[in-house]
């Protein structure tokens, strides 16, 4: 069976490196947590860092994030299905809706 271990020390070092790099270059950024699959233990460790925003593509993951830290700003990063809209509004402070629309002209 496959499993994932979280090395908090390395994750923090990577976070600090990226944060410093982006700050030096005047870039504002957000953490994308979808690789952690809503795992409460992993998310709790991640949210101990100096994070103001966190992005995810699953409403269930945003729900877990809000249960850990209700004050953090959450961003939903994919177009929601109609049945998910109420949950997206409830758990996401920001919704990023993007897409490319192609139109053919006759």
């Amino acid at each position: 069976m496959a499993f994932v271990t979280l090395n908090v020390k390395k994750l923090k070092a990577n976070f600090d490196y990226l944060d410093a790099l982006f700050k030096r270059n005047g870039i504002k950024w957000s953490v994308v947590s979808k690789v952690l699959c809503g795992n409460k233990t992993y998310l709790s460790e991640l949210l101990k860092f100096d994070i103001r925003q966190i992005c995810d593509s699953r409403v269930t993951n945003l729900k877990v994030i809000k249960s850990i830290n209700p004050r953090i700003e959450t961003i939903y990063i994919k177009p929601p299905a109609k049945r998910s809209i109420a949950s997206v509004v409830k758990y996401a402070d920001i919704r990023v809706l993007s897409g490319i629309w192609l139109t053919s002209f006759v």
Side-chain angles (χ1 to χ4, degrees), residues 75-80 94-98:
I75 303 172
Y76 186 71
I77 55 173
K78 76 173 188 177
I94 299 171
R95 273 86 44 209
V96 177
L97 303 176
S98 63

Side-chain angles (χ1 to χ4, degrees), residues 3-23:
F3 62 93
V4 176
T5 58
L6 180 66
N7 186 322
V8 177
K9 201 172 182 181
K10 287 183 180 180
L11 182 64
K12 177 69 169 138
N14 287 339
F15 174 84
D16 289 342
Y17 173 81
L18 290 172
D19 195 43
L21 176 68
F22 292 143
K23 282 180 181 173

